[in-house]
Amino acid sequence: MTDEQDTVDGRKLRGQRRRAQIIEATLTIVRRDGAAGVTHRTVAKEAGITTSLTLYYFATLDDLLVAALTSVTNAYTRRIRQLIDTEGDPLDGLARLIAESAGPGRERALAERELSTLAARRPALRPAARSWRDNVAELAQTQTDDPDAIEAFVALCDGLCAAILLDDHDADPDHIRAVLSKALLGTNR
Amino acid sequence: MTDEQDTVDGRKLRGQRRRAQIIEATLTIVRRDGAAGVTHRTVAKEAGITTSLTLYYFATLDDLLVAALTSVTNAYTRRIRQLIDTEGDPLDGLARLIAESAGPGRERALAERELSTLAARRPALRPAARSWRDNVAELAQTQTDDPDAIEAFVALCDGLCAAILLDDHDADPDHIRAVLSKALLGTNR
DNA sequence: GTACAACTAGTACGTACGTTCAACTAGGTT
DNA sequence: AACCTAGTTGAACGTACGTACTAGTTGTAC
């Protein structure tokens, strides 16, 4: 939003900063109007810049969508990796992450799902779309060695998010935690 | 495609037939280009009629999308209900249905997912989007009384479909059957 | 200071969009 | 016969789209 420090570290950095600004504006659009609302014009307007500028940084809409999706998934990757690396209970952390889809994280989760669905059409988006699943699988791998259980666990997490998004009902982290544990370890605890 | 029998049962029926024709053309578009490709013009062109005619039957694009999604989910509902009502193993039937997402049923499954994702934005689409989950839950209810297990089972089915669609890998019905059984009944058989 | 590359801005072209509208056709009714 | 109404058509409205192009501006290197 604020552009006061454009010239801090020279030219190159300013460009990267612009990129980040444009990506953020894109995500704002996706959250508000869905992926279909993303156009060079709407993004430029949201960012308060000219249309040509978004085109300068992202030659095609695909480039822009890929960058936006990557940005979202990167945020999730960081959080899940944190869950794996820290001492706490990973399943509990993941359950809370999933439960967020019903609350303040709804828009972000929705943005991720919209862009993932888009990935089925646009191959360029696929690697980014897969990263959420890969990360969840990695987390599951710290709990069990059974590949079938891991596969089911990943699918379960995805389905739970989808259910929360579609039904728009409240989500109880403890309940989700119990369901996850049952699926992965065969026990509720 | 063929309109030779338009006047079989009088005027009113011909209208319903047109509706069906337009819906089918819409689904063809969704399968080929995604939900974003659905416009009055593209649908009309696909159906070989004029733009005004699609507008005559479906005043807004939302109406058209709702009708298309309902048509898809109705087809699934029929098949799942058939699995429930017949003597065979429902889990096996469901596993085969899910596995179809990798083969000839991929486009239909993809269309359903695209339209379901759209439902998160357009409330009008939600009831239709929920019906797949409701049907799977009903099927699960014939196997267990544990509501948590049913919830997890539905989420699992949804996630499995998504995984198949996104990864585009082959799906083994027997393997899926085993995963489903494990999740719902706690056993692989 | 001059030169060059990165960046910004404005404008314009062709296309497609949703929607409206007046006119035309063809069964069905009276 | 005249009439009515659902169905159908083609043309047009204003708007927004992706993209291209030219011209200007800045920051950095020499």
Side-chain angles (χ1 to χ4, degrees):
Chain A
M1 293 291 170
T2 64
D3 277 356
E4 292 125 8
Q5 300 173 320
D6 265 8
T7 55
V8 167
D9 275 356
R11 183 180 8 112
K12 201 76 173 286
L13 182 70
R14 191 170 75 200
Q16 284 307 105
R17 204 178 288 229
R18 267 279 189 257
R19 277 185 75 93
Q21 180 196 10
I22 294 173
I23 288 174
E24 188 161 340
T26 304
L27 289 177
T28 301
I29 303 279
V30 174
R31 286 192 276 259
R32 192 206 308 140
D33 306 322
V38 174
T39 73
H40 281 126
R41 282 175 166 82
T42 57
V43 169
K45 189 172 182 180
E46 176 65 33
I49 57 180
T50 60
T51 309
S52 326
L53 204 43
T54 69
L55 258 152
Y56 177 78
Y57 285 98
F58 302 95
T60 79
L61 272 185
D62 258 28
D63 293 343
L64 186 52
L65 288 170
V66 168
L69 176 57
T70 302
S71 171
V72 172
T73 56
N74 279 351
Y76 277 114
T77 296
R78 273 193 298 275
R79 295 200 47 188
I80 294 178
R81 202 155 286 277
Q82 201 174 345
L83 293 176
I84 296 175
D85 293 340
T86 55
E87 304 303 318
D89 175 14
L91 286 191
D92 192 61
L94 185 58
R96 284 176 202 294
L97 192 57
I98 292 175
E100 275 183 17
S101 303
R106 175 176 159 81
E107 288 175 339
R108 183 164 56 172
L110 194 47
E112 202 253 350
R113 185 176 162 86
E114 289 226 10
L115 293 172
S116 289
T117 303
L118 223 70
R121 301 278 176 201
R122 316 205 191 190
L125 287 169
R126 284 206 185 178
R130 249 192 291 266
S131 76
W132 151 264
R133 306 182 83 88
D134 291 345
N135 287 320
V136 172
E138 199 169 331
L139 186 147
Q141 226 153 7
T142 66
Q143 307 292 307
T144 180
D145 286 334
D146 179 7
D148 281 5
I150 294 177
E151 177 193 356
F153 183 77
V154 174
L156 176 63
C157 289
D158 193 55
L160 284 176
C161 284
I164 292 173
L165 282 176
L166 280 179
D167 290 355
D168 210 3
H169 61 53
D170 277 350
D172 174 19
D174 294 331
H175 174 64
I176 294 176
R177 161 69 226 265
V179 172
L180 291 183
S181 178
K182 180 98 174 289
L184 193 57
L185 309 172
T187 166
N188 279 337
R189 286 288 125 219
Chain B
M1 293 293 170
T2 63
D3 276 357
E4 293 123 8
Q5 301 173 318
D6 265 9
T7 55
V8 168
D9 276 356
R11 182 176 12 107
K12 200 75 172 286
L13 181 72
R14 193 169 72 197
Q16 284 307 106
R17 203 179 290 228
R18 265 280 189 258
R19 277 184 75 91
Q21 180 197 11
I22 294 173
I23 288 174
E24 187 161 340
T26 304
L27 288 176
T28 301
I29 303 279
V30 174
R31 286 191 276 260
R32 192 207 307 141
D33 306 323
V38 174
T39 73
H40 281 128
R41 281 176 166 83
T42 56
V43 169
K45 187 172 183 181
E46 176 65 34
I49 57 181
T50 60
T51 309
S52 324
L53 201 46
T54 68
L55 261 151
Y56 177 77
Y57 284 97
F58 302 95
T60 79
L61 272 185
D62 258 27
D63 292 343
L64 185 51
L65 289 170
V66 169
L69 176 57
T70 302
S71 171
V72 173
T73 56
N74 279 351
Y76 278 114
T77 295
R78 272 192 299 275
R79 295 202 46 190
I80 294 179
R81 202 156 286 278
Q82 201 175 343
L83 293 177
I84 296 175
D85 293 340
T86 55
E87 304 301 320
D89 174 13
L91 286 190
D92 192 60
L94 185 58
R96 283 175 206 293
L97 192 57
I98 292 174
E100 275 183 17
S101 302
R106 176 177 159 82
E107 288 175 337
R108 184 164 57 173
L110 195 48
E112 203 251 350
R113 185 176 161 86
E114 290 228 10
L115 293 171
S116 289
T117 303
L118 221 72
R121 301 278 177 201
R122 316 206 192 189
L125 287 169
R126 286 205 185 178
R130 250 192 291 265
S131 76
W132 151 264
R133 307 182 81 87
D134 293 345
N135 287 321
V136 173
E138 199 170 331
L139 185 146
Q141 227 154 5
T142 66
Q143 307 291 308
T144 180
D145 286 334
D146 179 7
D148 281 5
I150 294 177
E151 177 192 355
F153 183 77
V154 174
L156 177 62
C157 289
D158 192 55
L160 285 177
C161 283
I164 293 172
L165 282 176
L166 280 179
D167 290 355
D168 210 3
H169 62 52
D170 278 350
D172 173 20
D174 294 331
H175 174 64
I176 294 176
R177 161 69 226 265
V179 172
L180 291 183
S181 178
K182 180 97 174 290
L184 193 58
L185 310 172
T187 165
N188 280 337
R189 285 290 122 214

